[in-house]
């Protein structure tokens, strides 16, 4: 049995917030994309700062400069953008549930996106914990580690974008 998107009958639709989300779907999609851009920019830049931070002498002026840069990047850009990305993403899911029904969440492309998001937000948590270690002078990771892992957010972004735009294995 193949899954076919079923339109939600008008009598089954809710009113209020979800209707507002449906009516302004493209606005929320645009806001979601903008938040993702800021989130990804920070997620790609922070490990690069860690590469250079590993080369700084602990307690030096450069060490202190990197600590400030990393903290400001995380607190001023990455964290707010990650929250906005999540909020607008949930808004889109709620709107889509009204438009297509909840079954789209079980499609392989969407499950792939959601799994990639779990990895990306987990990496965000790891980067945050690593920043705190750098702050305390307890970094145990090498420059090579940070260079290699610097591309992980981009790999996640490729998987997420391709899963959504191609909707592979969509039934």
């Amino acid at each position: 049995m193949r899954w076919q998107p079923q339109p939600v009958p008008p009598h089954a639709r809710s009113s209020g917030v979800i209707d507002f989300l449906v009516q302004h779907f493209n606005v929320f999609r645009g806001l979601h994309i903008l938040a993702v851009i800021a989130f990804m920019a920070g997620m790609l830049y922070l490990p690069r700062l860690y590469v250079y931070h590993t080369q700084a002498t602990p307690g030096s002026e450069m060490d202190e400069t990197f600590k400030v840069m990393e903290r400001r990047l995380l607190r001023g850009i990455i964290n707010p953008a990650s929250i906005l990305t999540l909020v607008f993403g949930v808004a889109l899911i709620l709107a889509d549930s009204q438009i297509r029904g909840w079954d789209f969440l079980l499609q392989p492309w969407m499950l792939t996106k959601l799994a990639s998001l779990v990895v990306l937000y987990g990496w965000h948590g790891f980067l945050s914990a690593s920043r705190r270690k750098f702050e305390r002078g307890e970094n145990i990771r090498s420059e090579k580690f940070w260079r290699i892992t610097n591309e992980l957010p981009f790999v996640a972004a490729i998987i997420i974008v391709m899963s959504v735009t191609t909707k592979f294995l969509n039934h």
Side-chain angles (χ1 to χ4, degrees):
M1 179 177 182
R2 298 189 107 190
W3 177 84
Q4 294 292 322
Q6 299 296 318
V8 179
H11 67 278
R13 292 185 178 193
S14 65
S15 60
V17 173
I18 294 179
D19 285 339
F20 178 82
L21 296 174
V22 170
Q23 291 168 4
H24 298 90
F25 187 85
N26 286 330
V27 171
F28 284 99
R29 182 169 32 192
L31 292 170
H32 179 67
I33 291 168
L34 292 171
V36 167
I37 290 169
F39 182 35
M40 291 304 299
M43 293 289 285
L44 290 166
Y45 187 47
L46 187 58
R48 179 56 50 187
L49 288 176
Y50 292 166
V51 167
Y52 300 127
H53 197 165
T54 59
Q55 299 168 2
T57 303
S60 69
E61 186 177 331
M62 282 308 298
D63 180 52
E64 294 306 315
T65 300
F66 281 119
K67 288 177 183 178
V68 170
M69 291 171 68
E70 293 157 0
R71 184 176 53 252
R72 287 181 179 170
L73 178 61
L74 196 61
R75 291 182 182 169
I77 296 173
I78 298 173
N79 290 347
S82 72
I83 292 166
L84 290 173
T85 296
L86 187 62
V87 167
F88 293 133
V90 169
L92 292 173
I93 287 173
L94 291 172
D96 251 353
S97 72
Q98 190 66 20
I99 295 165
R100 312 188 239 194
W102 288 101
D103 289 348
F104 80 98
L105 289 173
L106 299 176
Q107 291 299 305
W109 64 269
M110 187 60 161
L111 293 172
T112 301
K113 176 183 179 173
L114 294 173
S116 297
L117 287 172
V118 168
V119 170
L120 186 61
Y121 277 87
W123 182 245
H124 175 213
F126 177 79
L127 291 177
S128 297
S130 296
R131 190 208 60 81
R132 289 188 296 276
K133 287 181 181 178
F134 271 109
E135 185 81 30
R136 294 188 306 262
E138 299 171 358
N139 173 52
I140 59 168
R141 309 281 178 197
S142 69
E143 174 186 342
K144 185 176 180 180
F145 172 84
W146 293 115
R147 283 187 189 278
I148 291 170
T149 60
N150 185 57
E151 305 306 323
L152 290 177
F154 190 65
V155 171
I158 291 169
I159 293 168
I160 291 166
V161 169
M162 295 309 294
S163 67
V164 171
T165 58
T166 65
K167 292 193 173 31
F168 62 87
L169 300 175
N170 195 14
H171 297 97

